[in-house]
Coordinates of all heavy atoms in Angstrom, one line a residue:
M302 N 3.1 -20.2 -5.7 CA 2.7 -19.1 -6.6 C 1.2 -19.1 -6.9 O 0.6 -18.1 -7.0 CB 3.6 -19.2 -7.9 CG 3.3 -18.0 -8.7 SD 3.8 -16.5 -7.9 CE 4.9 -15.7 -9.0
Q303 N 0.7 -20.3 -7.1 CA -0.7 -20.5 -7.4 C -1.6 -19.9 -6.3 O -2.6 -19.3 -6.6 CB -1.1 -21.9 -7.6 CG -2.5 -22.1 -8.1 CD -2.8 -23.6 -8.5 OE1 -2.1 -24.5 -8.1 NE2 -3.8 -23.8 -9.2
K304 N -1.2 -20.0 -5.0 CA -2.0 -19.4 -4.0 C -2.1 -17.9 -4.1 O -3.1 -17.3 -3.8 CB -1.3 -19.7 -2.6 CG -1.5 -21.2 -2.2 CD -1.0 -21.3 -0.7 CE 0.3 -22.1 -0.6 NZ 0.8 -22.2 0.7
Y305 N -1.1 -17.3 -4.6 CA -1.1 -15.8 -4.8 C -1.9 -15.5 -6.0 O -2.7 -14.5 -6.0 CB 0.3 -15.3 -4.9 CG 1.2 -15.4 -3.7 CD1 2.2 -16.4 -3.7 CD2 0.8 -14.7 -2.5 CE1 3.0 -16.5 -2.5 CE2 1.6 -14.9 -1.4 CZ 2.7 -15.8 -1.4 OH 3.4 -15.9 -0.3
E306 N -1.8 -16.3 -7.1 CA -2.6 -16.0 -8.3 C -4.1 -16.1 -8.0 O -4.9 -15.4 -8.5 CB -2.2 -17.0 -9.4 CG -0.8 -16.7 -9.9 CD -0.4 -17.9 -10.9 OE1 -1.1 -18.9 -11.1 OE2 0.7 -17.7 -11.5
L307 N -4.5 -17.1 -7.2 CA -5.9 -17.3 -6.9 C -6.4 -16.3 -5.8 O -7.6 -16.3 -5.6 CB -6.1 -18.7 -6.5 CG -5.8 -19.8 -7.5 CD1 -5.9 -21.3 -6.9 CD2 -6.7 -19.7 -8.7
G308 N -5.5 -15.7 -5.1 CA -6.0 -14.7 -4.1 C -6.2 -15.4 -2.8 O -6.6 -14.7 -1.8
S309 N -5.8 -16.6 -2.5 CA -6.0 -17.3 -1.2 C -4.9 -16.8 -0.3 O -5.1 -16.9 1.0 CB -6.0 -18.8 -1.3 OG -4.9 -19.2 -1.9
N310 N -3.8 -16.3 -0.7 CA -2.7 -15.7 0.1 C -2.4 -14.3 -0.4 O -2.6 -14.0 -1.6 CB -1.4 -16.5 0.0 CG -1.5 -17.8 0.9 OD1 -2.5 -18.2 1.3 ND2 -0.3 -18.3 1.1
R311 N -2.1 -13.4 0.5 CA -1.8 -12.1 0.1 C -0.2 -11.9 0.0 O 0.5 -12.6 0.7 CB -2.3 -11.0 1.1 CG -3.8 -11.0 1.1 CD -4.3 -10.0 2.1 NE -5.7 -10.0 2.2 CZ -6.5 -9.2 2.7 NH1 -5.9 -8.2 3.4 NH2 -7.8 -9.3 2.8
V312 N 0.2 -11.0 -0.8 CA 1.6 -10.6 -0.9 C 1.8 -9.4 -0.1 O 1.2 -8.4 -0.3 CB 2.0 -10.3 -2.4 CG1 3.4 -9.9 -2.5 CG2 1.7 -11.5 -3.3
S313 N 2.8 -9.5 0.9 CA 3.0 -8.4 1.8 C 3.7 -7.2 1.0 O 4.2 -7.5 -0.1 CB 4.0 -8.8 2.9 OG 5.2 -9.1 2.4
A314 N 3.6 -6.0 1.5 CA 4.3 -4.9 0.9 C 5.8 -5.1 0.6 O 6.3 -4.8 -0.4 CB 4.0 -3.7 1.7
S315 N 6.4 -5.6 1.7 CA 7.9 -5.9 1.5 C 8.2 -6.9 0.5 O 9.1 -6.8 -0.3 CB 8.5 -6.3 2.9 OG 7.9 -7.5 3.4
K316 N 7.3 -7.9 0.4 CA 7.5 -9.0 -0.6 C 7.3 -8.4 -2.0 O 8.0 -8.7 -3.0 CB 6.6 -10.2 -0.3 CG 6.9 -11.3 -1.3 CD 8.2 -11.9 -1.2 CE 8.5 -12.6 0.1 NZ 9.8 -13.2 0.3
L317 N 6.2 -7.6 -2.1 CA 5.9 -6.9 -3.4 C 7.0 -6.1 -3.9 O 7.4 -6.1 -5.1 CB 4.6 -6.1 -3.3 CG 4.1 -5.6 -4.6 CD1 3.7 -6.6 -5.6 CD2 2.9 -4.6 -4.3
F318 N 7.6 -5.3 -2.9 CA 8.8 -4.5 -3.2 C 9.9 -5.3 -3.7 O 10.6 -5.0 -4.7 CB 9.1 -3.6 -2.0 CG 10.3 -2.7 -2.3 CD1 10.2 -1.7 -3.1 CD2 11.5 -3.0 -1.7 CE1 11.3 -0.8 -3.3 CE2 12.6 -2.2 -1.9 CZ 12.5 -1.1 -2.8
A319 N 10.2 -6.4 -3.0 CA 11.4 -7.3 -3.4 C 11.1 -7.9 -4.8 O 12.1 -8.0 -5.6 CB 11.5 -8.4 -2.3
I320 N 9.9 -8.3 -5.1 CA 9.6 -8.9 -6.4 C 9.8 -7.8 -7.5 O 10.4 -8.1 -8.5 CB 8.1 -9.4 -6.4 CG1 8.0 -10.6 -5.5 CG2 7.7 -9.7 -7.9 CD1 6.5 -11.0 -5.3
A321 N 9.3 -6.6 -7.2 CA 9.6 -5.5 -8.1 C 11.0 -5.2 -8.4 O 11.5 -5.1 -9.5 CB 8.9 -4.2 -7.7
Q322 N 11.8 -5.2 -7.3 CA 13.3 -5.0 -7.5 C 13.9 -6.1 -8.3 O 14.7 -5.9 -9.2 CB 14.0 -4.9 -6.1 CG 13.8 -3.6 -5.5 CD 14.7 -3.5 -4.2 OE1 14.8 -4.4 -3.4 NE2 15.3 -2.4 -4.1
A323 N 13.5 -7.4 -8.0 CA 14.1 -8.5 -8.7 C 13.7 -8.5 -10.2 O 14.5 -8.9 -11.0 CB 13.5 -9.8 -8.1
L324 N 12.5 -8.0 -10.5 CA 12.1 -7.9 -11.9 C 12.6 -6.6 -12.6 O 12.5 -6.4 -13.8 CB 10.6 -8.0 -12.0 CG 10.0 -9.3 -11.6 CD1 8.5 -9.2 -11.6 CD2 10.4 -10.4 -12.5
G325 N 13.1 -5.7 -11.8 CA 13.6 -4.4 -12.3 C 12.5 -3.5 -12.8 O 12.6 -2.8 -13.7
V326 N 11.3 -3.5 -12.1 CA 10.2 -2.7 -12.5 C 9.7 -1.9 -11.3 O 9.9 -2.3 -10.1 CB 9.0 -3.6 -13.0 CG1 9.4 -4.4 -14.3 CG2 8.5 -4.5 -12.0
P327 N 9.0 -0.9 -11.5 CA 8.4 -0.1 -10.3 C 7.2 -0.9 -9.7 O 6.6 -1.6 -10.5 CB 7.9 1.2 -10.9 CG 7.8 1.0 -12.4 CD 8.8 -0.1 -12.7
V328 N 7.0 -0.7 -8.4 CA 5.9 -1.4 -7.8 C 4.6 -1.1 -8.5 O 3.7 -1.9 -8.6 CB 5.9 -1.0 -6.3 CG1 4.6 -1.5 -5.6 CG2 7.1 -1.5 -5.5
A329 N 4.4 0.2 -8.9 CA 3.2 0.6 -9.5 C 2.9 -0.2 -10.8 O 1.7 -0.3 -11.2 CB 3.3 2.1 -9.9
S330 N 3.9 -0.9 -11.4 CA 3.6 -1.6 -12.6 C 2.7 -2.8 -12.3 O 2.0 -3.4 -13.2 CB 4.9 -2.1 -13.2 OG 5.5 -3.1 -12.4
F331 N 2.6 -3.3 -11.0 CA 1.7 -4.4 -10.7 C 0.3 -4.0 -10.7 O -0.6 -4.8 -10.6 CB 2.1 -5.0 -9.4 CG 3.5 -5.6 -9.3 CD1 4.5 -5.1 -8.6 CD2 3.8 -6.7 -10.1 CE1 5.7 -5.7 -8.5 CE2 5.0 -7.3 -10.1 CZ 6.0 -6.8 -9.3
F332 N 0.1 -2.6 -10.7 CA -1.3 -2.1 -10.7 C -1.7 -1.5 -11.9 O -2.6 -0.6 -12.0 CB -1.4 -1.1 -9.5 CG -1.0 -1.7 -8.2 CD1 0.3 -1.5 -7.7 CD2 -1.9 -2.4 -7.4 CE1 0.6 -2.0 -6.4 CE2 -1.6 -2.9 -6.2 CZ -0.3 -2.7 -5.7
S333 N -1.2 -1.9 -13.1 CA -1.4 -1.3 -14.4 C -2.9 -1.4 -14.8 O -3.5 -0.6 -15.4 CB -0.5 -2.0 -15.5 OG -0.8 -3.3 -15.6
D334 N -3.6 -2.5 -14.4 CA -5.0 -2.6 -14.6 C -5.8 -1.5 -14.0 O -6.8 -1.0 -14.5 CB -5.6 -3.9 -14.2 CG -5.0 -5.1 -15.0 OD1 -4.5 -4.9 -16.1 OD2 -5.2 -6.3 -14.5
L335 N -5.4 -1.1 -12.8 CA -6.0 0.0 -12.1 C -5.9 1.4 -12.9 O -6.8 2.1 -13.0 CB -5.5 0.2 -10.7 CG -5.7 -0.9 -9.8 CD1 -5.1 -0.6 -8.4 CD2 -7.2 -1.2 -9.6
E336 N -4.7 1.5 -13.5 CA -4.5 2.7 -14.3 C -5.5 2.7 -15.5 O -6.0 3.8 -15.9 CB -3.0 2.8 -14.8 CG -2.0 3.0 -13.7 CD -0.6 2.9 -14.2 OE1 -0.4 3.1 -15.4 OE2 0.3 2.8 -13.3
E337 N -5.7 1.6 -16.1 CA -6.6 1.6 -17.3 C -8.0 1.8 -16.9 O -8.8 2.2 -17.6 CB -6.4 0.2 -18.0 CG -5.1 0.0 -18.6 CD -4.9 -1.4 -19.1 OE1 -5.9 -2.2 -19.0 OE2 -3.8 -1.8 -19.5
S338 N -8.3 1.5 -15.6 CA -9.7 1.7 -15.2 C -10.0 3.2 -14.7 O -11.0 3.4 -14.1 CB -10.1 0.7 -14.1 OG -9.3 1.0 -12.9
G339 N -9.0 4.0 -14.8 CA -9.2 5.4 -14.5 C -8.5 5.8 -13.2 O -8.7 7.0 -12.8
A340 N -7.8 4.9 -12.5 CA -7.1 5.3 -11.3 C -5.9 6.2 -11.7 O -5.4 6.1 -12.8 CB -6.5 4.1 -10.6
D341 N -5.6 7.2 -10.8 CA -4.6 8.1 -11.0 C -3.2 7.5 -10.8 O -2.9 7.0 -9.8 CB -4.7 9.3 -10.1 CG -3.7 10.4 -10.3 OD1 -2.8 10.2 -11.1 OD2 -3.9 11.4 -9.6
P342 N -2.4 7.3 -11.9 CA -1.1 6.7 -11.8 C -0.2 7.3 -10.8 O 0.6 6.6 -10.2 CB -0.5 6.8 -13.2 CG -1.6 7.2 -14.1 CD -2.6 7.8 -13.3
S343 N -0.3 8.6 -10.6 CA 0.6 9.3 -9.6 C 0.2 8.7 -8.1 O 1.1 8.7 -7.3 CB 0.5 10.8 -9.6 OG -0.8 11.2 -9.3
V344 N -1.0 8.5 -7.9 CA -1.4 7.9 -6.6 C -0.8 6.6 -6.4 O -0.3 6.2 -5.3 CB -2.9 7.8 -6.5 CG1 -3.4 7.1 -5.2 CG2 -3.6 9.3 -6.5
L345 N -0.8 5.8 -7.5 CA -0.1 4.4 -7.3 C 1.3 4.5 -7.1 O 1.9 3.8 -6.3 CB -0.4 3.6 -8.6 CG -1.9 3.3 -9.0 CD1 -2.0 2.7 -10.3 CD2 -2.5 2.5 -7.9
S346 N 1.9 5.5 -7.7 CA 3.4 5.7 -7.5 C 3.7 6.1 -6.1 O 4.6 5.6 -5.5 CB 3.9 6.7 -8.5 OG 5.3 7.0 -8.3
E347 N 2.9 7.1 -5.6 CA 3.0 7.5 -4.2 C 2.8 6.4 -3.2 O 3.5 6.3 -2.2 CB 2.0 8.7 -3.9 CG 2.4 9.9 -4.6 CD 1.3 11.0 -4.3 OE1 0.7 11.0 -3.2 OE2 1.1 11.9 -5.1
F348 N 1.8 5.5 -3.5 CA 1.6 4.4 -2.6 C 2.8 3.4 -2.6 O 3.2 3.0 -1.6 CB 0.3 3.6 -3.1 CG -0.1 2.5 -2.2 CD1 -0.5 2.8 -0.9 CD2 0.0 1.2 -2.6 CE1 -0.8 1.7 0.0 CE2 -0.3 0.1 -1.7 CZ -0.8 0.4 -0.5
G349 N 3.3 3.2 -3.8 CA 4.5 2.3 -3.8 C 5.7 2.9 -3.1 O 6.4 2.3 -2.3
D350 N 5.9 4.3 -3.2 CA 6.9 4.9 -2.4 C 6.6 4.8 -0.9 O 7.5 4.7 -0.2 CB 7.0 6.4 -2.8 CG 7.4 6.7 -4.2 OD1 8.0 5.7 -4.8 OD2 7.2 7.8 -4.7
F351 N 5.4 4.9 -0.5 CA 5.0 4.8 0.9 C 5.3 3.4 1.4 O 5.9 3.3 2.6 CB 3.5 5.1 1.1 CG 2.9 4.7 2.4 CD1 3.3 5.5 3.5 CD2 2.2 3.6 2.6 CE1 2.8 5.2 4.8 CE2 1.7 3.3 3.8 CZ 2.0 4.1 4.9
L352 N 5.1 2.4 0.7 CA 5.2 1.0 1.1 C 6.7 0.7 1.5 O 6.9 -0.2 2.3 CB 4.8 0.1 0.1 CG 3.3 0.0 -0.1 CD1 2.9 -1.0 -1.2 CD2 2.5 -0.4 1.1
V353 N 7.6 1.4 1.0 CA 9.0 1.1 1.3 C 9.6 1.9 2.4 O 10.7 1.7 2.8 CB 9.9 1.3 0.0 CG1 9.5 0.4 -1.1 CG2 10.0 2.7 -0.4
L354 N 8.8 2.9 3.0 CA 9.2 3.6 4.1 C 9.3 2.7 5.4 O 8.4 1.9 5.6 CB 8.3 4.8 4.4 CG 8.2 5.8 3.3 CD1 7.2 6.9 3.6 CD2 9.6 6.5 3.1
N355 N 10.2 3.0 6.3 CA 10.3 2.3 7.6 C 9.0 2.6 8.4 O 8.6 3.8 8.4 CB 11.5 2.8 8.4 CG 12.8 2.3 7.8 OD1 12.8 1.2 7.2 ND2 13.9 2.9 8.1
G356 N 8.4 1.6 8.9 CA 7.2 1.8 9.7 C 5.9 1.8 8.9 O 4.8 1.7 9.6
S357 N 6.0 1.8 7.6 CA 4.7 1.8 6.8 C 3.8 0.6 7.1 O 2.6 0.7 7.2 CB 4.9 2.0 5.4 OG 5.7 1.0 4.8
T358 N 4.4 -0.6 7.1 CA 3.7 -1.8 7.3 C 3.0 -1.8 8.7 O 1.8 -2.1 8.7 CB 4.6 -3.0 7.2 OG1 5.3 -3.0 6.0 CG2 3.8 -4.3 7.3
E359 N 3.7 -1.4 9.7 CA 3.1 -1.3 11.0 C 1.9 -0.3 11.1 O 0.9 -0.5 11.7 CB 4.2 -1.0 12.0 CG 5.2 -2.0 12.3 CD 6.4 -1.9 11.3 OE1 6.3 -1.1 10.3 OE2 7.4 -2.6 11.5
L360 N 2.2 0.8 10.4 CA 1.1 1.9 10.3 C -0.2 1.3 9.7 O -1.3 1.6 10.2 CB 1.6 3.1 9.6 CG 0.7 4.3 9.6 CD1 0.3 4.8 10.9 CD2 1.3 5.4 8.7
V361 N 0.0 0.7 8.6 CA -1.2 0.1 7.8 C -1.9 -0.9 8.7 O -3.1 -0.9 8.7 CB -0.7 -0.4 6.5 CG1 -1.8 -1.2 5.8 CG2 -0.3 0.7 5.5
K362 N -1.1 -1.8 9.3 CA -1.7 -2.8 10.2 C -2.5 -2.2 11.3 O -3.6 -2.6 11.6 CB -0.6 -3.8 10.7 CG -0.1 -4.7 9.7 CD 1.0 -5.6 10.4 CE 1.6 -6.5 9.3 NZ 2.7 -7.3 9.9
A363 N -1.9 -1.1 12.0 CA -2.6 -0.5 13.0 C -3.9 0.3 12.5 O -5.0 0.2 13.1 CB -1.7 0.5 13.7
Y364 N -3.7 0.9 11.4 CA -4.9 1.7 10.7 C -6.0 0.8 10.5 O -7.2 1.2 10.7 CB -4.3 2.3 9.5 CG -5.3 3.2 8.8 CD1 -5.4 4.6 9.3 CD2 -6.2 2.8 7.8 CE1 -6.3 5.5 8.6 CE2 -7.1 3.6 7.2 CZ -7.2 5.0 7.6 OH -8.0 5.8 7.0
R365 N -5.8 -0.4 10.1 CA -6.9 -1.4 9.7 C -7.7 -1.8 11.0 O -8.9 -2.2 10.8 CB -6.3 -2.6 9.1 CG -5.8 -2.3 7.7 CD -5.3 -3.6 7.0 NE -6.3 -4.6 6.9 CZ -6.2 -5.8 6.6 NH1 -5.0 -6.3 6.4 NH2 -7.1 -6.7 6.5
T366 N -7.1 -1.6 12.1 CA -7.8 -2.1 13.4 C -8.7 -0.9 14.0 O -9.4 -1.1 14.9 CB -6.9 -2.5 14.4 OG1 -6.0 -1.5 14.8 CG2 -6.0 -3.7 13.9
L367 N -8.5 0.3 13.4 CA -9.2 1.5 14.0 C -10.6 1.5 13.5 O -11.0 1.1 12.4 CB -8.4 2.8 13.6 CG -7.0 2.9 14.0 CD1 -6.4 4.2 13.4 CD2 -6.9 2.9 15.5
T368 N -11.5 2.3 14.3 CA -12.8 2.5 13.9 C -12.8 3.7 12.8 O -11.7 4.4 12.7 CB -13.7 3.0 15.1 OG1 -13.2 4.3 15.5 CG2 -13.7 2.0 16.2
A369 N -13.9 3.9 12.1 CA -13.9 5.0 11.1 C -13.6 6.3 11.8 O -12.9 7.2 11.2 CB -15.3 5.0 10.4
D370 N -14.2 6.6 13.0 CA -13.9 7.9 13.6 C -12.4 8.0 14.0 O -11.8 9.1 13.9 CB -14.8 8.0 14.9 CG -16.3 8.2 14.6 OD1 -16.6 8.7 13.5 OD2 -17.1 7.9 15.5
Q371 N -11.8 6.9 14.5 CA -10.4 7.0 14.8 C -9.6 7.2 13.6 O -8.6 7.9 13.7 CB -10.0 5.7 15.5 CG -10.6 5.5 16.9 CD -10.3 4.1 17.5 OE1 -10.3 3.1 16.7 NE2 -10.2 4.0 18.8
R372 N -9.9 6.6 12.5 CA -9.2 6.8 11.2 C -9.2 8.3 10.8 O -8.2 8.8 10.4 CB -9.7 5.9 10.1 CG -9.4 4.4 10.3 CD -10.1 3.6 9.2 NE -9.8 2.2 9.4 CZ -10.4 1.2 8.8 NH1 -11.3 1.5 7.9 NH2 -10.1 0.0 9.1
R373 N -10.4 8.9 11.0 CA -10.5 10.3 10.5 C -9.6 11.2 11.4 O -8.9 12.1 10.9 CB -12.0 10.7 10.7 CG -12.3 12.1 10.4 CD -12.3 12.3 8.9 NE -11.1 13.0 8.5 CZ -10.5 13.0 7.3 NH1 -11.0 12.3 6.3 NH2 -9.4 13.6 7.1
V374 N -9.6 10.9 12.8 CA -8.8 11.7 13.6 C -7.3 11.4 13.3 O -6.5 12.4 13.3 CB -9.0 11.3 15.1 CG1 -8.0 11.9 16.1 CG2 -10.5 11.7 15.6
L375 N -6.9 10.2 13.0 CA -5.5 9.9 12.6 C -5.1 10.7 11.4 O -4.0 11.3 11.3 CB -5.3 8.4 12.5 CG -3.8 8.0 12.2 CD1 -2.9 8.5 13.2 CD2 -3.8 6.5 12.1
V376 N -6.0 10.6 10.4 CA -5.7 11.3 9.1 C -5.6 12.9 9.3 O -4.6 13.5 8.8 CB -6.8 11.0 8.0 CG1 -6.7 11.9 6.8 CG2 -6.6 9.6 7.6
D377 N -6.5 13.4 10.2 CA -6.4 14.8 10.5 C -5.1 15.2 11.2 O -4.4 16.2 10.9 CB -7.6 15.2 11.4 CG -9.0 15.2 10.6 OD1 -8.9 15.2 9.4 OD2 -10.0 15.2 11.3
L378 N -4.7 14.3 12.1 CA -3.5 14.6 12.8 C -2.3 14.5 11.9 O -1.4 15.4 12.0 CB -3.3 13.5 14.0 CG -2.0 13.5 14.7 CD1 -1.8 14.8 15.4 CD2 -1.9 12.3 15.6
A379 N -2.3 13.5 11.0 CA -1.2 13.4 10.1 C -1.1 14.6 9.2 O 0.0 15.1 8.8 CB -1.3 12.1 9.3
Q380 N -2.2 15.1 8.7 CA -2.2 16.3 7.8 C -1.7 17.5 8.6 O -1.0 18.3 8.0 CB -3.6 16.5 7.3 CG -4.0 15.4 6.3 CD -5.5 15.5 5.8 OE1 -6.3 16.0 6.5 NE2 -5.7 15.1 4.6
V381 N -2.1 17.7 9.8 CA -1.6 18.8 10.6 C -0.1 18.7 10.8 O 0.6 19.7 10.6 CB -2.3 18.9 12.0 CG1 -1.7 19.9 12.9 CG2 -3.8 19.3 11.7
M382 N 0.4 17.5 11.1 CA 1.8 17.3 11.3 C 2.6 17.6 10.0 O 3.6 18.1 10.1 CB 2.0 15.9 11.8 CG 1.6 15.7 13.3 SD 1.8 14.0 13.8 CE 3.5 13.8 13.9
A383 N 2.1 17.1 8.9 CA 2.7 17.3 7.6 C 2.8 18.8 7.2 O 3.7 19.2 6.6 CB 2.0 16.5 6.6
A384 N 1.8 19.5 7.6 CA 1.8 20.9 7.3 C 2.7 21.8 8.1 O 3.1 22.8 7.6 CB 0.4 21.5 7.4
S385 N 3.2 21.3 9.2 CA 4.1 22.1 10.1 C 5.5 21.7 9.8 O 5.9 20.9 9.2 CB 3.8 21.8 11.6 OG 3.9 20.5 11.9

């Protein structure tokens, strides 16, 4: 646990979801400090909902390897697909 507290290890999305379920709290509750700093709570809730979707982890991993231009194209594509 200390490795996670110090930030030397990261908690995966699936592990964060499992922890939230075990504690009986929404995933967004782990980001309450962000809400106090002016972050939009609905965005945090949407992000938590996204993390539990099939394929979300793979999508995030692939997204991180893309260039800025590739990311823009992917976001544009996703928005067009979502609108249809």
Side-chain angles (χ1 to χ4, degrees):
M302 187 59 124
Q303 188 176 16
K304 288 190 250 180
Y305 296 109
E306 290 173 354
L307 297 175
S309 58
N310 282 18
R311 294 183 183 188
V312 178
S313 68
S315 60
K316 186 60 72 182
L317 185 62
F318 180 72
I320 293 169
Q322 281 190 317
L324 295 174
V326 298
V328 173
S330 68
F331 295 116
F332 301 98
S333 61
D334 291 344
L335 295 177
E336 291 175 18
E337 292 171 7
S338 67
D341 183 353
S343 66
V344 171
L345 296 175
S346 178
E347 287 179 30
F348 184 66
D350 293 343
F351 168 75
L352 290 177
V353 299
L354 296 175
N355 287 335
S357 63
T358 304
E359 293 86 350
L360 182 61
V361 170
K362 286 179 183 177
Y364 186 85
R365 291 181 59 195
T366 66
L367 301 176
T368 66
D370 289 338
Q371 290 171 325
R372 288 178 182 166
R373 181 74 256 157
V374 170
L375 181 59
V376 169
D377 291 344
L378 174 63
Q380 289 174 333
V381 168
M382 291 174 69
S385 60

